[in-house]
Amino acid sequence: MADSLRRLVGAESGRVLQQKLESWYRDYEINSCDQNLNCCCEIIELNSAIQGQLFTILNETSREGGHYAGVETIKTRLLPWLGTCFSCPISGRLFETNLSLTQDSIEKEQQLRELASNQTFQLQELQKELTSTCLELSHVQQDLKTSRAQVEDGLRKLDRLNDCEQQIQILRDEVSILDAQNSVLQSRLARSCSPSPRHGESKSPSRLPLRSCSPGRARHTNTSRRTSLIARFGDIYDRGRLDAETLLRTYISDMEMVQRIIYIAAVESFHAAKMAYRQFKIRVRETLSLGHSGPESLEDAVLDYIIRHEDLYDVQASVNEVIRSMNINPKISFPPEIDFIVISTLIRELCRVAFSMQTLVPPLDIAFGTDGELFSETKYHRSFDSDFTVALVAYHIWPALMENDVVIVKGEAVTKRGALWSRRSRSRSRRHNRSRSTSPFLSHHLSRSRSPSPLKRGSPGKWAY
């Protein structure tokens, strides 16, 4: 402390401060504002340096007295003086302003701390809620997995049940087929054991083979036979028709003519099969009516007999009749060196299906169609090359399958603008130049027919397709 005080005395800072004050006082009136401010700042700086040295000496002096020495002096002398200095008019406002700013800063900092604390608390709460939600979600997912497993197990059981039902239905159908085959074998055995008729003797109704049959079989198997026949009809459209179309394309370049030939073959096949069924049914009814005495009606007995003896249907006679009708149809033509017998496979399958469809209750039939009719969305699909803005049918590709005026399977038709007029002109040209003769191959098959055709060349409505 003595060294610091000696240096302060030796520097003569107080004397220099006094001299500067006296000099400033003398020149104050003649100095400019800037000069006076510079003098004041210089004196303040000098005074601050002296005060700094004095505070250093005060600190050293209080330290030399120990921890509690000089406390009273500082409290009674220094602190009041410091308070008086900070309460002066000019510096007081600055101190209050600084104090206010400091308090505002402290308050804002405290608010920020509180806000951060609240946000931290909220974040913790959200984390807790998120954790709880995740646990609930995991539990729900587990429940969903369990439920999905139960549903899948139920679906598997349902599939197995459906498979069992299908197997049962298949077995029932197989039993029906085996019954039919057994009846056929018994019929063949009976015919092989019975004396053959004399040459030229006609088959009378009493000559029909009588085989044992269970009552009501036709109605019991009606649903399964209906499903099978509809599937066969669809298979003919998907395969047999396309095979015949490919075969005809090797002889005929006009695709429209090929499609017309196949459509007319389908219509004529159903017509011939229905006529053959009516004749066959009349013969069976005449035969069974002579000794019928069973619990079922005569009509049911007749239907059961026809179902069990469909092998007696002379399908070749119907095929020959279809080809004969197609040869005289003015809407279609064929190269002279080839005959419609080339599509006899398609015609034969159509006749068999059409004949069997007549044994259903109710029977199935194809829809009536004619060129130029109004296109029906419920009866036909449009072909891929059709004009979808045209409302009239140019020609048909495949007939629709009907049951009591209800469409079971849609057919296919072509709609084209102006097709009817161009087709009429081509039809007139074909009728003018048409001259056909029956090929030897066809004559050979026609000679095999066992009964004359009931169709006449002048039948009304014959070619309304």
Side-chain angles (χ1 to χ4, degrees):
M1 184 278 295
D3 294 335
S4 299
L5 182 57
R6 186 169 45 255
R7 284 194 299 270
L8 178 60
V9 173
E12 298 182 349
S13 300
R15 187 179 298 110
V16 174
L17 177 62
Q18 182 63 30
Q19 291 176 356
K20 288 185 176 293
L21 286 173
E22 293 177 353
S23 175
W24 182 27
Y25 176 73
R26 287 193 302 268
D27 298 333
Y28 183 82
E29 297 296 337
I30 60 176
N31 289 338
S32 63
C33 180
D34 291 336
Q35 291 175 344
N36 288 328
L37 290 176
N38 286 329
C39 291
C40 182
C41 290
E42 185 179 358
I43 294 171
I44 291 173
E45 292 173 356
L46 183 58
N47 185 44
S48 298
I50 296 173
Q51 285 184 351
Q53 293 176 358
L54 290 176
F55 276 107
T56 301
I57 295 171
L58 179 64
N59 188 22
E60 292 177 354
T61 304
S62 62
R63 194 165 46 244
E64 290 177 355
H67 290 288
Y68 302 102
V71 173
E72 292 297 329
T73 304
I74 292 174
K75 290 172 62 176
T76 57
R77 298 291 303 274
L78 181 62
L79 293 180
W81 175 77
L82 291 175
T84 304
C85 291
F86 285 109
S87 63
C88 61
I90 297 176
S91 62
R93 287 195 297 270
L94 294 175
F95 176 76
E96 291 176 356
T97 302
N98 293 332
L99 183 60
S100 177
L101 293 175
T102 303
Q103 290 177 349
D104 292 339
S105 300
I106 293 174
E107 291 177 357
K108 290 181 179 180
E109 185 177 358
Q110 185 176 2
Q111 292 177 357
L112 290 175
R113 286 199 187 97
E114 293 177 354
L115 181 60
S117 178
N118 292 334
Q119 290 179 349
T120 303
F121 178 75
Q122 293 176 358
L123 181 60
Q124 292 175 352
E125 292 295 326
L126 289 175
Q127 289 178 346
K128 292 179 181 179
E129 293 179 0
L130 181 60
T131 303
S132 177
T133 304
C134 290
L135 293 175
E136 293 178 358
L137 181 60
S138 176
H139 181 69
V140 171
Q141 288 177 346
Q142 187 65 30
D143 291 341
L144 288 177
K145 289 181 180 179
T146 304
S147 301
R148 187 180 295 111
Q150 293 176 354
V151 171
E152 292 176 354
D153 184 62
L155 290 176
R156 284 193 295 269
K157 291 181 179 178
L158 182 60
D159 291 338
R160 287 196 294 269
L161 180 61
N162 292 334
D163 293 339
C164 292
E165 292 178 352
Q166 292 177 0
Q167 292 294 332
I168 292 173
Q169 185 63 38
I170 291 173
L171 291 175
R172 288 176 179 173
D173 294 340
E174 290 179 352
V175 170
S176 300
I177 293 172
L178 291 174
D179 289 341
Q181 292 177 350
N182 185 30
S183 298
V184 172
L185 293 176
Q186 291 178 358
S187 173
R188 291 177 180 174
L189 181 61
R191 279 184 291 183
S192 64
C193 295
S194 61
S196 59
R198 294 191 303 273
H199 179 70
E201 182 179 0
S202 61
K203 183 181 289 187
S204 63
S206 60
R207 296 286 182 175
L208 287 174
L210 295 177
R211 307 171 191 170
S212 60
C213 59
S214 59
R217 180 180 182 276
R219 300 188 182 277
H220 293 161
T221 62
N222 189 75
T223 302
S224 60
R225 290 187 296 110
R226 178 181 180 275
T227 303
S228 176
L229 290 172
I230 293 175
R232 287 174 61 187
F233 184 79
D235 185 68
I236 295 174
Y237 171 77
D238 293 333
R239 298 181 182 179
R241 177 184 66 89
L242 295 180
D243 293 342
E245 185 178 286
T246 303
L247 183 60
L248 290 174
R249 288 285 288 174
T250 60
Y251 307 107
I252 304 175
S253 59
D254 186 4
M255 187 62 184
E256 176 182 342
M257 180 57 62
V258 170
Q259 292 175 338
R260 284 181 176 275
I261 289 173
I262 294 175
Y263 174 75
I264 292 176
V267 174
E268 291 290 353
S269 297
F270 268 80
H271 181 76
K274 288 190 293 184
M275 293 296 297
Y277 176 79
R278 295 190 188 103
Q279 295 174 1
F280 189 72
K281 187 176 182 180
I282 291 173
R283 293 170 53 200
V284 173
R285 184 184 292 108
E286 291 176 355
T287 301
L288 296 183
S289 63
L290 299 177
H292 176 70
S293 60
E296 59 180 351
S297 64
L298 178 60
E299 288 299 321
D300 289 342
V302 170
L303 191 58
D304 288 342
Y305 184 91
I306 294 175
I307 292 173
R308 288 184 173 274
H309 300 79
E310 286 188 21
D311 58 304
L312 299 179
Y313 167 46
D314 189 1
V315 65
Q316 185 60 45
S318 296
V319 172
N320 297 338
E321 183 59 35
V322 171
I323 295 175
R324 183 185 297 111
S325 299
M326 293 177 66
N327 282 329
I328 61 175
N329 192 305
K331 289 190 176 184
I332 54 178
S333 62
F334 210 63
E337 64 275 10
I338 304 298
D339 212 295
F340 292 117
I341 195 69
V342 297
I343 59 171
S344 61
T345 302
L346 173 68
I347 297 173
R348 181 177 289 102
E349 185 63 21
L350 283 168
C351 288
R352 287 173 177 169
V353 171
F355 186 89
S356 298
M357 285 182 175
Q358 306 311 305
T359 65
L360 298 175
V361 182
L364 299 181
D365 199 358
I366 56 175
F368 175 80
T370 180
D371 294 350
E373 68 175 338
L374 186 65
F375 179 81
S376 174
E377 294 285 352
T378 59
K379 291 172 62 177
Y380 299 104
H381 296 289
R382 293 181 192 263
S383 63
F384 70 94
D385 56 343
S386 294
D387 186 347
F388 285 76
T389 62
V390 178
L392 299 181
V393 175
Y395 64 93
H396 298 80
I397 296 178
W398 193 254
L401 190 63
M402 309 287 290
E403 182 183 60
N404 287 340
D405 299 328
V406 178
V407 177
I408 303 300
V409 179
K410 283 188 178 183
E412 186 175 355
V414 179
T415 55
K416 289 184 178 180
R417 196 175 301 278
L420 294 177
W421 295 103
S422 61
R423 204 210 63 77
R424 288 175 182 173
S425 63
R426 292 198 303 269
S427 178
R428 286 196 298 267
S429 176
R430 284 198 301 270
R431 285 197 300 268
H432 180 71
N433 299 323
R434 187 180 182 97
S435 176
R436 295 189 52 115
S437 61
T438 305
S439 65
F441 185 54
L442 177 62
S443 300
H444 170 69
H445 282 274
L446 293 177
S447 63
R448 295 176 58 190
S449 175
R450 291 179 286 180
S451 61
S453 169
L455 302 179
K456 303 299 181 182
R457 297 182 60 166
S459 300
K462 172 75 167 133
W463 298 297
Y465 305 111

